[in-house]
Amino acid sequence: MGSSIEYQRSSDPSRESRLLDAAAGLFVHYGFDKTTVAEIAREAGVSKGAVYLHFESKDELLEALILRELQAYADSWLGAVENHPSGGSIGGMVRCAMQALHGHPLMVAILRSDVGVFGNYLRKPESLLRRARGRSTRKAFVEAMQAAGVIRTDVDPAVTAHIMNMLSFGLVAIEQVIEADEAPPLDALLDGIAEFMDRALTPVGGGNHEAGKAILREFRAAGQERLAKVTHAG
Amino acid sequence: MGSSIEYQRSSDPSRESRLLDAAAGLFVHYGFDKTTVAEIAREAGVSKGAVYLHFESKDELLEALILRELQAYADSWLGAVENHPSGGSIGGMVRCAMQALHGHPLMVAILRSDVGVFGNYLRKPESLLRRARGRSTRKAFVEAMQAAGVIRTDVDPAVTAHIMNMLSFGLVAIEQVIEADEAPPLDALLDGIAEFMDRALTPVGGGNHEAGKAILREFRAAGQERLAKVTHAG
DNA sequence: CATTGACCAGTATTGTATATTTGGTCAACA
DNA sequence: TGTTGACCAAATATACAATACTGGTCAATG
């Protein structure tokens, strides 16, 4: 906690990345608690002591990993939105968000607050995610989308934000209960969800796609800033 | 498993109910594993042996409890739908379903597959819920609703069923992560979800409410039958 | 009959002593 | 200067009795 001194960090980013990569794989596979620092070091091809040149503690390594994951996931999402033809519609955004979850198993674990993967870290009050969670980011997001003409204005933004949350958590929660062969193929599901959201939330005249993308970029930048602030102030 | 002999059961239903009531409260509070049969008996005001006049085992008691809960919840749902003015619309149904969850903490626990409450019972392959879960009940439900003109026909029923599942699980999953004061007031939320579903799924001309209620009654009866069959055949 | 509670075999739990492993440090090294 | 790996205290795992408790039974009871 009271992060003491800004000590000199190694300036080798690839080394840090390799450590995080190794940790990510091990955490997903064995879980945080059952992964040892020594294993992480070995997997990354460095000594155990080197880990502590880059991170103050195992917990801080996890924080850095989560931070990187959040950023990487946001980048994937934004990238998908930019490329997708209807990425600026609300349905397109949701579609891209869910699509982007593939290849981000840690993000899924974060959404699921997976104790197996993160031990009890996520439950700690001082955890990165608790510090970072803006009180009502999603509500502000919905409001911005309404102001930009992407979402119809006759819905309660708080409620709409909550529904979007429900869908996020539902997506990952349902996997633990539903047999794989009961779920529809991913592409059909994503299309269906996009349609569903569009029909429920797009204004009558159709949404302004470019405005939607712009808002998303804006929120991405703000989010980055907020995360940076959170990580600076311990 | 191989349920041996149909032995003579006590014909006193209130006794059985009291046992189930006692068990329900204790399971929700302490969890299945940490609740002893002796406690259940004491709470119900009978001896421990009496429990085994009504149930073959602690597991079977839990099955009976879950069965009762499923039936009671379905009744609550159907009752709410029958009373609610727009209960026959898809939004109304969803609204009523979620409303009915209040006062049914065990149903919430079932949806959440709460290990704390049910121990590892729900995970067992021979558990009641696994035996009872129709392969694609919800899909059939959506299809029936489409045939009856309650849901628009240009959506994939499997996908729509999956989305409804996502919302169910999302509703209960989200509670574990979101602070209470971040969630909108329940009434507003239910109204919002109903609106949301209606806009996404109601056919252009508006749905046939009476047909919706009829279908729901039909499925309720079929479900009861299926559950009865499942409980007879061990 | 229905109902009980003492009783049983098997399983958790506890206590305790020992051995291993862990996150984290730091003098020595390259 | 950047890196290492032997080293440490604390935590955790293991071993193994002794003990307590559990789900489930059944002869005795009223």
Side-chain angles (χ1 to χ4, degrees):
Chain A
M1 268 76 32
S3 80
S4 41
I5 302 155
E6 274 297 288
Y7 56 85
Q8 185 58 34
R9 292 258 177 91
S10 162
S11 56
D12 182 355
S14 77
R15 173 73 65 91
E16 206 163 298
S17 295
R18 282 223 312 282
L19 279 168
L20 290 180
D21 289 339
L26 292 166
F27 289 167
V28 168
H29 199 85
Y30 302 104
F32 179 75
D33 288 336
K34 289 185 181 170
T35 299
T36 69
V37 177
E39 276 174 323
I40 296 171
R42 184 163 43 76
E43 193 77 13
V46 297
S47 73
K48 190 163 65 128
V51 173
Y52 291 89
L53 297 177
H54 296 272
F55 308 99
E56 275 190 341
S57 67
K58 195 186 175 191
D59 270 13
E60 211 214 37
L61 185 154
L62 177 57
E63 290 214 341
L65 180 58
I66 291 174
L67 192 64
R68 194 185 69 161
E69 187 68 10
L70 288 177
Q71 310 262 17
Y73 172 71
D75 284 341
S76 289
W77 182 22
L78 200 58
V81 165
E82 297 287 3
N83 289 336
H84 200 280
S86 63
S89 75
I90 185 63
M93 280 179 203
V94 170
R95 188 214 155 95
C96 291
M98 297 188 166
Q99 202 163 25
L101 280 179
H102 275 258
H104 289 274
L106 270 170
M107 190 63 210
V108 173
I110 289 170
L111 277 178
R112 191 184 282 152
S113 296
D114 195 322
V115 177
V117 173
F118 296 110
N120 289 319
Y121 172 77
L122 293 185
R123 302 205 187 287
K124 291 183 192 173
E126 72 271 19
S127 80
L128 177 68
L129 285 179
R130 297 232 184 183
R131 298 202 313 267
R133 191 197 315 280
R135 177 54 46 152
S136 41
T137 311
R138 292 220 195 203
K139 185 184 162 201
F141 180 74
V142 171
E143 280 167 347
M145 286 295 175
Q146 287 179 313
V150 182
I151 290 182
R152 53 193 303 160
T153 52
D154 61 344
V155 294
D156 180 337
V159 168
T160 306
H162 200 80
I163 293 175
M164 292 173 73
N165 268 331
M166 283 171 60
L167 284 168
S168 302
F169 286 97
L171 181 76
V172 297
I174 199 176
E175 285 173 17
Q176 297 175 310
V177 179
I178 298 294
E179 315 285 337
D181 60 328
E182 281 186 81
L186 182 67
D187 263 348
L189 180 62
L190 291 177
D191 285 341
I193 291 174
E195 260 182 62
F196 187 89
M197 298 297 289
D198 274 335
R199 232 170 354 235
L201 295 179
T202 300
V204 281
N208 181 344
H209 286 206
E210 281 317 308
K213 293 189 185 180
I215 298 273
L216 208 56
R217 280 187 222 109
E218 204 175 294
F219 265 76
R220 169 87 187 93
Q224 237 161 353
E225 206 172 301
R226 186 154 38 85
L227 281 179
K229 207 177 297 175
V230 164
T231 46
H232 257 164
Chain B
M1 265 83 32
S3 83
S4 42
I5 303 155
E6 273 296 290
Y7 57 85
Q8 184 59 34
R9 293 257 178 92
S10 162
S11 54
D12 182 355
S14 76
R15 173 74 64 88
E16 207 165 296
S17 294
R18 282 223 312 282
L19 279 168
L20 291 181
D21 290 339
L26 291 166
F27 290 168
V28 168
H29 200 85
Y30 301 103
F32 180 75
D33 288 337
K34 289 186 182 170
T35 299
T36 70
V37 176
E39 275 174 324
I40 296 170
R42 183 163 44 75
E43 193 77 15
V46 296
S47 72
K48 191 164 64 132
V51 173
Y52 290 91
L53 297 176
H54 296 272
F55 308 100
E56 275 189 341
S57 67
K58 194 188 176 191
D59 269 12
E60 212 214 37
L61 185 153
L62 177 57
E63 290 214 340
L65 180 58
I66 291 173
L67 191 64
R68 193 185 70 161
E69 187 69 10
L70 289 176
Q71 309 261 16
Y73 172 71
D75 285 341
S76 289
W77 182 24
L78 199 59
V81 165
E82 296 287 3
N83 290 336
H84 199 279
S86 63
S89 75
I90 184 63
M93 281 179 203
V94 171
R95 188 213 155 95
C96 291
M98 297 187 166
Q99 201 162 26
L101 280 180
H102 275 259
H104 289 273
L106 271 170
M107 190 63 210
V108 173
I110 289 171
L111 277 178
R112 191 185 282 155
S113 296
D114 195 322
V115 178
V117 173
F118 296 111
N120 289 318
Y121 173 77
L122 293 183
R123 303 207 188 284
K124 290 184 192 172
E126 73 271 20
S127 80
L128 176 69
L129 286 179
R130 298 236 184 179
R131 299 201 312 269
R133 191 199 316 278
R135 178 50 47 151
S136 41
T137 311
R138 291 221 197 202
K139 185 183 162 202
F141 180 75
V142 170
E143 281 167 346
M145 286 294 176
Q146 287 179 313
V150 182
I151 291 181
R152 54 194 302 162
T153 53
D154 61 344
V155 295
D156 181 336
V159 168
T160 306
H162 199 80
I163 293 175
M164 291 174 74
N165 268 331
M166 283 171 60
L167 284 168
S168 302
F169 286 97
L171 181 75
V172 297
I174 200 177
E175 286 173 17
Q176 298 175 311
V177 179
I178 298 294
E179 315 285 337
D181 60 329
E182 280 186 81
L186 182 66
D187 263 348
L189 179 62
L190 291 177
D191 284 342
I193 291 174
E195 259 181 64
F196 187 89
M197 297 297 288
D198 275 335
R199 228 165 5 229
L201 294 179
T202 300
V204 280
N208 180 345
H209 286 206
E210 282 317 308
K213 293 188 185 179
I215 298 272
L216 207 55
R217 282 186 221 108
E218 205 176 292
F219 265 77
R220 170 87 186 91
Q224 239 162 352
E225 208 173 299
R226 187 154 37 85
L227 280 179
K229 207 176 298 175
V230 164
T231 47
H232 257 165

mmCIF file of all heavy atoms in Angstrom, chain A residues 138-158:
data_model
loop_
_atom_site.group_PDB
_atom_site.id
_atom_site.type_symbol
_atom_site.label_atom_id
_atom_site.label_comp_id
_atom_site.label_asym_id
_atom_site.label_seq_id
_atom_site.Cartn_x
_atom_site.Cartn_y
_atom_site.Cartn_z
ATOM 1 N N ARG A 138 -20.503 3.696 -16.628
ATOM 2 C CA ARG A 138 -21.372 3.223 -17.698
ATOM 3 C C ARG A 138 -22.563 4.145 -17.889
ATOM 4 O O ARG A 138 -23.025 4.347 -19.000
ATOM 5 C CB ARG A 138 -21.862 1.806 -17.373
ATOM 6 C CG ARG A 138 -20.744 0.803 -17.429
ATOM 7 C CD ARG A 138 -21.212 -0.484 -18.057
ATOM 8 N NE ARG A 138 -20.238 -1.531 -17.767
ATOM 9 C CZ ARG A 138 -20.102 -2.618 -18.493
ATOM 10 N NH1 ARG A 138 -20.848 -2.809 -19.550
ATOM 11 N NH2 ARG A 138 -19.202 -3.531 -18.172
ATOM 12 N N LYS A 139 -23.052 4.672 -16.796
ATOM 13 C CA LYS A 139 -24.177 5.600 -16.909
ATOM 14 C C LYS A 139 -23.736 6.821 -17.717
ATOM 15 O O LYS A 139 -24.431 7.256 -18.635
ATOM 16 C CB LYS A 139 -24.647 6.018 -15.519
ATOM 17 C CG LYS A 139 -25.885 6.899 -15.544
ATOM 18 C CD LYS A 139 -26.250 7.353 -14.141
ATOM 19 C CE LYS A 139 -27.185 8.554 -14.187
ATOM 20 N NZ LYS A 139 -27.174 9.325 -12.941
ATOM 21 N N ALA A 140 -22.573 7.358 -17.391
ATOM 22 C CA ALA A 140 -22.061 8.506 -18.138
ATOM 23 C C ALA A 140 -21.891 8.141 -19.609
ATOM 24 O O ALA A 140 -22.180 8.943 -20.506
ATOM 25 C CB ALA A 140 -20.733 8.956 -17.540
ATOM 26 N N PHE A 141 -21.443 6.940 -19.839
ATOM 27 C CA PHE A 141 -21.259 6.474 -21.215
ATOM 28 C C PHE A 141 -22.597 6.485 -21.957
ATOM 29 O O PHE A 141 -22.702 7.001 -23.078
ATOM 30 C CB PHE A 141 -20.672 5.066 -21.185
ATOM 31 C CG PHE A 141 -20.435 4.459 -22.525
ATOM 32 C CD1 PHE A 141 -19.382 4.884 -23.320
ATOM 33 C CD2 PHE A 141 -21.265 3.455 -23.002
ATOM 34 C CE1 PHE A 141 -19.160 4.314 -24.562
ATOM 35 C CE2 PHE A 141 -21.050 2.885 -24.245
ATOM 36 C CZ PHE A 141 -19.996 3.319 -25.030
ATOM 37 N N VAL A 142 -23.610 5.924 -21.317
ATOM 38 C CA VAL A 142 -24.930 5.898 -21.954
ATOM 39 C C VAL A 142 -25.426 7.313 -22.211
ATOM 40 O O VAL A 142 -25.953 7.624 -23.286
ATOM 41 C CB VAL A 142 -25.936 5.120 -21.071
ATOM 42 C CG1 VAL A 142 -27.354 5.287 -21.615
ATOM 43 C CG2 VAL A 142 -25.566 3.652 -21.017
ATOM 44 N N GLU A 143 -25.212 8.189 -21.227
ATOM 45 C CA GLU A 143 -25.661 9.577 -21.396
ATOM 46 C C GLU A 143 -24.962 10.241 -22.574
ATOM 47 O O GLU A 143 -25.596 10.935 -23.378
ATOM 48 C CB GLU A 143 -25.408 10.367 -20.108
ATOM 49 C CG GLU A 143 -26.479 10.102 -19.054
ATOM 50 C CD GLU A 143 -26.084 10.611 -17.668
ATOM 51 O OE1 GLU A 143 -24.891 10.933 -17.478
ATOM 52 O OE2 GLU A 143 -26.951 10.654 -16.786
ATOM 53 N N ALA A 144 -23.668 9.992 -22.662
ATOM 54 C CA ALA A 144 -22.926 10.578 -23.783
ATOM 55 C C ALA A 144 -23.461 10.034 -25.102
ATOM 56 O O ALA A 144 -23.604 10.775 -26.096
ATOM 57 C CB ALA A 144 -21.440 10.275 -23.633
ATOM 58 N N MET A 145 -23.740 8.748 -25.110
ATOM 59 C CA MET A 145 -24.263 8.132 -26.330
ATOM 60 C C MET A 145 -25.624 8.713 -26.694
ATOM 61 O O MET A 145 -25.955 8.860 -27.870
ATOM 62 C CB MET A 145 -24.378 6.620 -26.129
ATOM 63 C CG MET A 145 -23.041 5.907 -26.156
ATOM 64 S SD MET A 145 -22.254 6.007 -27.775
ATOM 65 C CE MET A 145 -20.684 5.232 -27.443
ATOM 66 N N GLN A 146 -26.388 9.031 -25.668
ATOM 67 C CA GLN A 146 -27.688 9.654 -25.932
ATOM 68 C C GLN A 146 -27.501 11.057 -26.506
ATOM 69 O O GLN A 146 -28.151 11.431 -27.490
ATOM 70 C CB GLN A 146 -28.509 9.723 -24.643
ATOM 71 C CG GLN A 146 -29.041 8.365 -24.211
ATOM 72 C CD GLN A 146 -29.839 8.430 -22.930
ATOM 73 O OE1 GLN A 146 -29.408 9.042 -21.956
ATOM 74 N NE2 GLN A 146 -31.004 7.797 -22.924
ATOM 75 N N ALA A 147 -26.598 11.810 -25.885
ATOM 76 C CA ALA A 147 -26.351 13.172 -26.362
ATOM 77 C C ALA A 147 -25.864 13.160 -27.804
ATOM 78 O O ALA A 147 -26.161 14.072 -28.586
ATOM 79 C CB ALA A 147 -25.325 13.848 -25.458
ATOM 80 N N ALA A 148 -25.129 12.117 -28.157
ATOM 81 C CA ALA A 148 -24.562 12.044 -29.502
ATOM 82 C C ALA A 148 -25.548 11.456 -30.506
ATOM 83 O O ALA A 148 -25.245 11.361 -31.694
ATOM 84 C CB ALA A 148 -23.293 11.215 -29.480
ATOM 85 N N GLY A 149 -26.707 11.065 -30.036
ATOM 86 C CA GLY A 149 -27.712 10.543 -30.964
ATOM 87 C C GLY A 149 -27.473 9.094 -31.355
ATOM 88 O O GLY A 149 -27.997 8.624 -32.362
ATOM 89 N N VAL A 150 -26.701 8.372 -30.554
ATOM 90 C CA VAL A 150 -26.465 6.957 -30.856
ATOM 91 C C VAL A 150 -27.530 6.080 -30.179
ATOM 92 O O VAL A 150 -27.925 5.044 -30.697
ATOM 93 C CB VAL A 150 -25.059 6.532 -30.385
ATOM 94 C CG1 VAL A 150 -24.791 5.084 -30.736
ATOM 95 C CG2 VAL A 150 -24.008 7.428 -30.999
ATOM 96 N N ILE A 151 -27.968 6.524 -29.020
ATOM 97 C CA ILE A 151 -28.980 5.790 -28.253
ATOM 98 C C ILE A 151 -30.204 6.670 -28.091
ATOM 99 O O ILE A 151 -30.068 7.883 -27.880
ATOM 100 C CB ILE A 151 -28.423 5.402 -26.860
ATOM 101 C CG1 ILE A 151 -27.345 4.333 -26.992
ATOM 102 C CG2 ILE A 151 -29.545 4.914 -25.957
ATOM 103 C CD1 ILE A 151 -26.795 3.869 -25.661
ATOM 104 N N ARG A 152 -31.371 6.100 -28.185
ATOM 105 C CA ARG A 152 -32.595 6.881 -28.024
ATOM 106 C C ARG A 152 -32.631 7.531 -26.654
ATOM 107 O O ARG A 152 -32.117 6.996 -25.667
ATOM 108 C CB ARG A 152 -33.812 6.003 -28.257
ATOM 109 C CG ARG A 152 -33.823 4.748 -27.428
ATOM 110 C CD ARG A 152 -34.868 3.780 -27.929
ATOM 111 N NE ARG A 152 -36.205 4.386 -27.933
ATOM 112 C CZ ARG A 152 -37.217 3.927 -28.654
ATOM 113 N NH1 ARG A 152 -37.052 2.880 -29.434
ATOM 114 N NH2 ARG A 152 -38.379 4.514 -28.596
ATOM 115 N N THR A 153 -33.272 8.676 -26.599
ATOM 116 C CA THR A 153 -33.181 9.486 -25.380
ATOM 117 C C THR A 153 -34.313 9.204 -24.396
ATOM 118 O O THR A 153 -34.311 9.743 -23.294
ATOM 119 C CB THR A 153 -33.226 10.984 -25.744
ATOM 120 O OG1 THR A 153 -34.367 11.216 -26.578
ATOM 121 C CG2 THR A 153 -31.961 11.384 -26.472
ATOM 122 N N ASP A 154 -35.264 8.378 -24.791
ATOM 123 C CA ASP A 154 -36.388 8.142 -23.889
ATOM 124 C C ASP A 154 -36.180 6.919 -23.004
ATOM 125 O O ASP A 154 -37.121 6.274 -22.582
ATOM 126 C CB ASP A 154 -37.690 7.992 -24.688
ATOM 127 C CG ASP A 154 -37.632 6.816 -25.651
ATOM 128 O OD1 ASP A 154 -36.515 6.328 -25.924
ATOM 129 O OD2 ASP A 154 -38.695 6.368 -26.122
ATOM 130 N N VAL A 155 -34.926 6.574 -22.742
ATOM 131 C CA VAL A 155 -34.645 5.501 -21.788
ATOM 132 C C VAL A 155 -33.825 6.074 -20.644
ATOM 133 O O VAL A 155 -33.052 7.019 -20.822
ATOM 134 C CB VAL A 155 -33.860 4.334 -22.443
ATOM 135 C CG1 VAL A 155 -34.704 3.636 -23.486
ATOM 136 C CG2 VAL A 155 -32.555 4.825 -23.034
ATOM 137 N N ASP A 156 -34.017 5.477 -19.461
ATOM 138 C CA ASP A 156 -33.265 5.911 -18.287
ATOM 139 C C ASP A 156 -31.814 5.448 -18.439
ATOM 140 O O ASP A 156 -31.551 4.241 -18.559
ATOM 141 C CB ASP A 156 -33.916 5.286 -17.044
ATOM 142 C CG ASP A 156 -33.205 5.692 -15.763
ATOM 143 O OD1 ASP A 156 -32.023 6.071 -15.832
ATOM 144 O OD2 ASP A 156 -33.833 5.635 -14.695
ATOM 145 N N PRO A 157 -30.873 6.377 -18.444
ATOM 146 C CA PRO A 157 -29.473 5.958 -18.660
ATOM 147 C C PRO A 157 -28.960 5.008 -17.590
ATOM 148 O O PRO A 157 -28.222 4.068 -17.900
ATOM 149 C CB PRO A 157 -28.692 7.279 -18.646
ATOM 150 C CG PRO A 157 -29.633 8.306 -18.134
ATOM 151 C CD PRO A 157 -31.019 7.827 -18.347
ATOM 152 N N ALA A 158 -29.360 5.236 -16.342
ATOM 153 C CA ALA A 158 -28.885 4.351 -15.279
ATOM 154 C C ALA A 158 -29.394 2.932 -15.509
ATOM 155 O O ALA A 158 -28.654 1.947 -15.371
ATOM 156 C CB ALA A 158 -29.340 4.874 -13.912
#
